[in-house]
């Protein structure tokens, strides 16, 4: 071993140590700067949140709110949030420790949220769908969502939808046959078919008589387009009982609403079910009245005051498909059956999970009208 190699070895270990020290210093400095930056953002965030009308201003209110939300049964969820919005106002901040929720119910605010092309990330609630749907169109976000939406939009083109009409008719006729069989027991519990339109059926029949006369032929696309009364009945049913009762978004960036700015990382939510019961847009909101959708009654209504299929870039891609399907099934059932409700609207009890669920429905009495179903 010569002096030169001892000297260069010592130099190398000194420089190794200094590199380690430098790395440590840089790491510590980065952590410190990040903490300052994070704290500042947290302070700014808390400042913004403190300006929002809140249900959880104090620790006690926060604990009370968490307790109440945790003990809600699916049946109580919508009435609870409806009462919160009524007591606090159309925008309410709720701190549930794990997440910050901002509930909105002003159509102007809902419009700002839904028409934005930036706030398209779904809230954490949708993750329960992922084991089933994976990150498909409904649950994905950003580029993945954009490419898929673009691809799938074409598959809902009018011409393609038209090719589904025979399948709709086939299944609607199948339903009529199974209902005709079941009607022999006199009463039918249509639990899985929310058919409030049955309450308005006498009206829906006149229109169909005009289109089909006494024929039991299948419906065509042209027929479906001319079912205006049935369309109003479906719209009013979806007003009172929207299949998707609430929508949430995770804010990756802050959003400026009409009167408030909401910081990033909040979860913003609105309830279609509650919005559709806003008395200023729907007087006597619990009353089932399809005429609310006559042009003269709805032309002046806020365009974001009726959202059964949501709106904006993440609206329901299947809405036309769904409308044609509902019209085919309902018109087929009504043309082939006399429907009588054996209860009232009060017998309809709904609860909310990710979709609206009918916990109880009035029973229906169905009487087949065509001879071939009477046998
Ligand atoms: C009455 C029937 C239906 C109602 C009320 C309805 C309602 C909705 C609503 C409110 C949304 C928005 C959800 C959100 O933003 O979180 C939505 C999204 C969606 N709907 Fe529907 N829907 C119906 C039928 C259908 C049908 C028949 C299909 C497919 C054939 C469909 C496919 C979708 C998809 C893929 C999305 C996600 C779109 C996206 O995020 O880009 N829906 N639907």
């Amino acid at each position: 071993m010569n002096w030169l190699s001892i000297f260069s070895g010592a130099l190398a270990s000194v420089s190794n140590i200094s590199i380690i020290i430098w790395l440590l210093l840089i790491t510590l400095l980065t952590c410190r700067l990040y903490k300052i930056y994070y704290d500042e953002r947290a302070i700014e965030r808390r400042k913004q949140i403190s300006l929002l009308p809140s249900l959880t201003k104090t620790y006690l209110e926060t604990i009370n709110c968490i307790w109440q939300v945790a003990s809600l049964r699916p049946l109580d969820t919508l009435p609870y949030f409806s009462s919160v919005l009524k007591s606090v106002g159309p925008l309410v901040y709720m701190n549930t420790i794990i997440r910050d929720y901002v509930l909105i119910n002003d159509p102007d605010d809902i419009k700002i949220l839904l028409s934005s092309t930036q706030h398209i990330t779904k809230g954490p609630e949708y993750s329960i769908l992922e084991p089933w749907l994976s990150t498909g169109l409904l649950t994905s976000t950003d580029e993945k969502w954009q490419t898929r939406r673009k691809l799938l939009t074409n598959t809902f083109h009018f011409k393609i939808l038209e090719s589904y009409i025979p399948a709709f008719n086939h299944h609607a006729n199948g339903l009529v046959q199974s209902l005709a069989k079941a009607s022999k027991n006199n009463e039918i519990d249509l639990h899985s078919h929310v058919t409030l339109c049955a309450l308005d059926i006498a009206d829906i029949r006149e229109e169909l008589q005009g289109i089909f006369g006494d024929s039991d032929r299948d419906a065509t696309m042209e027929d479906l387009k001319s079912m205006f009364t049935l369309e109003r009945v479906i719209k009013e049913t979806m007003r009172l009982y929207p299949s998707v009762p609430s929508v949430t978004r995770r804010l990756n960036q802050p959003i400026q609403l009409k009167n408030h700015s909401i910081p990033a990382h909040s979860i913003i939510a609105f309830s279609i079910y509650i919005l559709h019961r806003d008395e200023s847009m729907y007087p006597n909101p619990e009353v089932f009245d399809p005429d609310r959708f006559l042009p003269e009654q709805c032309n002046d209504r806020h365009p974001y005051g009726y959202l059964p299929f949501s709106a904006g870039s993440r609206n329901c891609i299947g809405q036309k498909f769904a409308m044609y399907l509902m019209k085919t099934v309902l018109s087929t059932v009504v043309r082939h059956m006399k429907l009588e409700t054996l209860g009232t609207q009060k017998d309809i009890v709904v609860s909310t999970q990710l979709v609206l669920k009918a916990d109880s429905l009035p029973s229906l009495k169905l009487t087949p009208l065509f001879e071939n179903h009477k046998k």
Side-chain angles (χ1 to χ4, degrees):
M1 184 185 296
N2 59 31
W3 283 108
L4 198 66
S5 61
I6 293 172
F7 181 71
S8 59
L11 206 66
S13 56
V14 168
S15 69
N16 279 348
I17 290 169
S18 64
I19 287 171
I20 291 169
I21 291 172
W22 270 112
L23 279 176
L24 267 174
L25 279 175
I26 291 169
T27 314
L28 283 174
L29 195 70
T30 317
C31 287
R32 183 71 198 138
L33 284 174
Y34 180 74
K35 192 167 174 342
I36 292 170
Y37 169 74
Y38 182 80
D39 281 354
E40 265 179 25
R41 286 198 19 179
I43 289 167
E44 181 55 34
R45 185 180 156 75
R46 277 202 293 273
K47 214 164 91 188
Q48 281 188 8
I49 282 173
S50 71
L51 299 173
L52 302 177
S54 173
L55 195 66
T56 51
K57 280 251 186 271
T58 63
Y59 285 119
L60 208 65
E61 282 173 350
T62 307
I63 292 166
N64 183 34
C65 170
I66 293 169
W67 173 251
Q68 291 210 21
V69 172
S71 50
L72 281 179
R73 295 173 304 162
L75 198 73
D76 305 324
T77 314
L78 291 167
Y80 171 75
F81 287 112
S82 174
S83 71
V84 164
L85 286 161
K86 267 196 188 121
S87 65
V88 184
L91 184 146
V92 184
Y93 167 77
M94 287 168 76
N95 173 8
T96 62
I97 306 275
I98 309 167
R99 287 181 193 117
D100 292 318
Y101 275 94
V102 178
L103 309 181
I104 56 173
N105 195 40
D106 180 333
D108 285 340
D109 284 343
I110 295 174
K111 181 178 176 186
I112 295 170
L113 177 73
L114 293 184
S115 55
S116 144
T117 48
Q118 281 166 0
H119 303 289
I120 58 163
T121 305
K122 299 283 173 89
E125 297 73 19
Y126 296 75
S127 60
I128 57 165
L129 291 173
E130 282 180 16
W132 174 41
L133 297 175
S134 184
T135 44
L137 188 63
L138 185 66
T139 45
S140 56
T141 190
D142 298 330
E143 250 178 71
K144 188 172 184 178
W145 169 78
Q146 248 155 12
T147 13
R148 287 175 178 204
R149 178 87 194 197
K150 222 168 152 185
L151 262 173
L152 288 169
T153 296
N154 292 334
T155 63
F156 287 91
H157 186 272
F158 171 78
K159 276 279 154 217
I160 296 180
L161 288 185
E162 193 166 15
S163 69
Y164 281 109
I165 305 287
F168 293 170
N169 276 303
H170 174 76
H171 291 290
N173 286 319
L175 175 69
V176 166
Q177 268 166 25
S178 60
L179 289 178
K181 260 191 211 153
S183 70
K184 290 185 181 125
N185 305 329
N186 270 342
E187 270 185 32
I188 286 200
D189 184 12
L190 275 184
H191 215 82
S192 54
H193 313 263
V194 184
T195 50
L196 190 64
C197 54
L199 300 175
D200 202 55
I201 221 75
D203 205 8
I204 293 158
R205 203 178 292 288
E206 227 170 75
E207 176 177 76
L208 298 176
Q209 180 71 24
I211 297 173
F212 296 97
D214 290 330
S215 159
D216 69 346
R217 69 173 173 81
D218 281 353
T220 64
M221 182 66 115
E222 287 314 306
D223 296 331
L224 299 180
K225 281 192 203 154
S226 56
M227 294 177 186
F228 299 111
T229 311
L230 182 59
E231 186 165 310
R232 287 201 293 279
V233 170
I234 292 173
K235 282 184 172 170
E236 177 67 345
T237 307
M238 289 196 297
R239 179 185 73 80
L240 282 167
Y241 305 104
S243 317
V244 180
S246 305
V247 166
T248 70
R249 294 279 187 275
R250 182 197 294 278
L251 295 185
N252 296 324
Q253 297 167 40
I255 187 170
Q256 178 59 52
L257 298 179
K258 194 168 67 174
N259 298 320
H260 300 279
S261 73
I262 315 295
H265 311 301
S266 309
I267 309 296
I268 196 159
F270 66 91
S271 165
I272 298 173
Y273 181 95
I274 296 171
L275 176 78
H276 286 180
R277 282 166 166 73
D278 183 324
E279 287 202 57
S280 65
M281 293 185 285
Y282 305 101
N284 300 318
E286 292 298 335
V287 174
F288 181 78
D289 177 10
D291 285 354
R292 296 181 200 271
F293 292 94
L294 282 170
E296 59 272 24
Q297 287 210 35
C298 66
N299 279 352
D300 292 338
R301 194 171 295 141
H302 196 296
Y304 282 73
Y306 180 68
L307 298 171
F309 294 110
S310 187
S313 52
R314 292 214 75 159
N315 69 354
C316 176
I317 197 169
Q319 58 184 290
K320 286 210 176 83
F321 181 101
M323 277 309 274
Y324 287 133
L325 177 60
M326 286 188 283
K327 280 184 172 180
T328 311
V329 171
L330 289 171
S331 64
T332 309
V333 171
V334 171
R335 283 165 59 212
H336 290 82
M337 302 261 158
K338 183 176 167 215
L339 286 90
E340 290 164 89
T341 47
L342 301 174
T344 66
Q345 198 180 333
K346 288 208 174 72
D347 299 321
I348 301 175
V349 181
V350 292
S351 64
T352 176
Q353 277 141 20
L354 215 54
V355 290
L356 201 70
K357 183 174 158 282
D359 286 337
S360 119
L361 288 173
S363 299
L364 290 181
K365 186 177 170 205
L366 303 184
T367 317
L369 294 173
F370 287 90
E371 281 308 318
N372 55 342
H373 292 133
K374 288 184 186 164
K375 287 168 205 154

